[in-house]
Amino acid sequence: MNCLHLIGALTAALLTAAPSASPITTRLPLPAGFTYPNGIAHAEDGTLFVGSVSNGRILRRAPGGDWTVLFPGSKEVFAVTSLRLDVARGLLWGTSPDAMGLLRPGGALGRRAPRIFSMDARTGEVRRIVAIPEGGLGNDLTVAPDGGLYVTDSTRGSVLHLRPGGERLETYVSDARFLAKGAGMSSVGPAGIALAPDGRTLAVNTYGPGRLFLVRLGSAGAPPTVSEVELPRRLENPDGMRFAPDGRLLVLEGATSSGDGRVVRIDVLGTASGPRPIEVLASGMESPVNLTVDANGRLWVTEARLRDRLLRGAEAKVPDAFWVTELSARK
């Protein structure tokens, strides 16, 4: 058995094991000094882009290569909680909210106005900065085939829309069920967002309440409709989401309370009645926050290792290492 066959056999064995086995195939270490990874995207050739929530720095890594700096961070792009690649236009879009201002010495939440940005995916040159409407906090985004964007607003309980070529974000849909109450992270509403393969259905979760919704885009001027996905339990701090090539939804559970971060899979588009089963693909992860998935079902997940900071505040020690986890979804 050659090395490739051996690796394939080991991977298959991991992915058919019990969910508690946590089928992690590879950890890709991030360079020293790069802290709290969050936003992540990939190109068709497997090149990865990873952004830091603490300073807006964005790294790039070609398959088998080393991490290099695509963007060093700036006053305009000071955090990266989401990254999505618009392949057709060569743009890397991201969200930059000051949600983790407490990670800076003497920092405070919300000091700088949140925005989204785009940059040239080859050069890192910033092309656009678009402000989030006042009172909002842009968390995650997804790119539509026409180049438009849908962005979750975590504080106002809504999904925002940037039309192709548009100059400002508009409220696409608001729903009372998106709102979150409580202290700390319990107050965070819409977080992860993903566009289904049909190009007309959005999945949206709420981080604090742990609920999951489908937003079906209206046609011919009709407003979108919102329906809640019935689940056997509340999700534990759901965050980044993406649809797998087979149409099932991949969801990260950040698990601030238990510390047992997970990748789960849910068939939200199926026709079966009753609660949709939550299938655990990987567990034991440290604050998984965002992910990207390729056409073969391979996943890359950012583990932000933020739990200690979220529970203890700014006095918590910064972890001494960060990484991106690569794994494959089971069939």
Side-chain angles (χ1 to χ4, degrees):
M1 180 178 290
N2 64 33
C3 290
L4 290 177
H5 288 160
L6 178 59
I7 292 172
L10 289 173
T11 300
L14 283 169
L15 298 178
T16 55
S20 60
S22 294
I24 295 173
T25 58
T26 305
R27 274 183 176 175
L28 305 176
L30 291 165
F34 186 89
T35 59
Y36 302 109
N38 196 321
I40 185 168
H42 76 280
E44 293 179 352
D45 66 356
T47 295
L48 291 176
F49 303 88
V50 176
S52 167
V53 70
S54 57
N55 57 24
R57 192 177 178 195
I58 299 174
L59 303 181
R60 176 171 53 192
R61 178 185 182 273
D66 296 325
W67 294 103
T68 59
V69 177
L70 175 67
F71 181 75
S74 70
K75 291 182 178 180
E76 290 185 318
V77 179
F78 43 78
V80 181
T81 58
S82 182
L83 282 177
R84 296 299 160 203
L85 185 62
D86 182 349
V87 176
R89 298 158 191 84
L91 294 175
L92 189 64
W93 282 96
T95 50
S96 190
D98 200 8
M100 291 292 116
L102 58 85
L103 299 178
R104 303 187 312 274
L109 296 177
R111 177 178 292 175
R112 295 172 287 190
R115 68 282 310 272
I116 64 172
F117 63 88
S118 70
M119 63 179 56
D120 188 304
R122 295 176 298 104
T123 67
E125 178 186 358
V126 175
R127 295 291 183 83
R128 297 189 64 189
I129 300 289
V130 182
I132 299 294
E134 186 176 356
L137 190 151
N139 193 325
D140 197 8
L141 61 80
T142 190
V143 181
D146 64 3
L149 303 181
Y150 295 95
V151 184
T152 52
D153 184 336
S154 293
T155 58
R156 299 194 307 161
S158 62
V159 174
L160 307 174
H161 183 220
L162 182 68
R163 301 175 186 275
E167 295 298 323
R168 63 185 181 88
L169 286 156
E170 303 169 325
T171 298
Y172 185 73
V173 61
S174 292
D175 194 288
R177 292 169 292 177
F178 289 169
L179 295 172
K181 299 179 181 180
M185 300 307 289
S186 296
S187 67
V188 179
I193 187 169
L195 183 64
D198 65 6
R200 302 194 56 79
T201 304
L202 292 166
V204 178
N205 65 44
T206 54
Y207 187 90
R211 301 169 75 175
L212 182 63
F213 300 89
L214 293 181
V215 178
R216 290 185 167 86
L217 311 187
S219 57
T225 60
V226 180
S227 60
E228 184 165 4
V229 178
E230 187 178 359
L231 300 172
R233 64 171 173 83
R234 289 289 180 96
L235 297 168
E236 189 180 5
N237 304 127
D239 209 336
M241 301 192 297
R242 283 297 171 265
F243 280 92
D246 64 6
R248 289 180 287 183
L249 184 65
L250 301 167
V251 186
L252 299 181
E253 291 187 274
T256 299
S257 178
S258 72
D260 183 20
R262 296 173 290 272
V263 182
V264 302
R265 183 167 59 189
I266 307 171
D267 185 9
V268 298
L269 302 178
T271 58
S273 59
R276 301 303 171 94
I278 300 172
E279 181 185 4
V280 178
L281 300 182
S283 60
M285 305 183 86
E286 299 185 44
S287 306
V289 286
N290 224 314
L291 78 161
T292 187
V293 56
D294 71 8
N296 298 313
R298 181 172 46 165
L299 281 70
W300 292 274
V301 179
T302 46
E303 294 186 61
R305 307 193 71 191
L306 272 168
R307 181 171 180 259
D308 194 36
R309 178 73 58 154
L310 295 175
L311 295 178
R312 295 179 53 210
E315 73 274 9
K317 181 180 182 296
V318 177
D320 57 5
F322 294 90
W323 55 80
V324 171
T325 298
E326 179 182 338
L327 58 116
S328 298
R330 292 176 293 173
K331 300 295 184 182

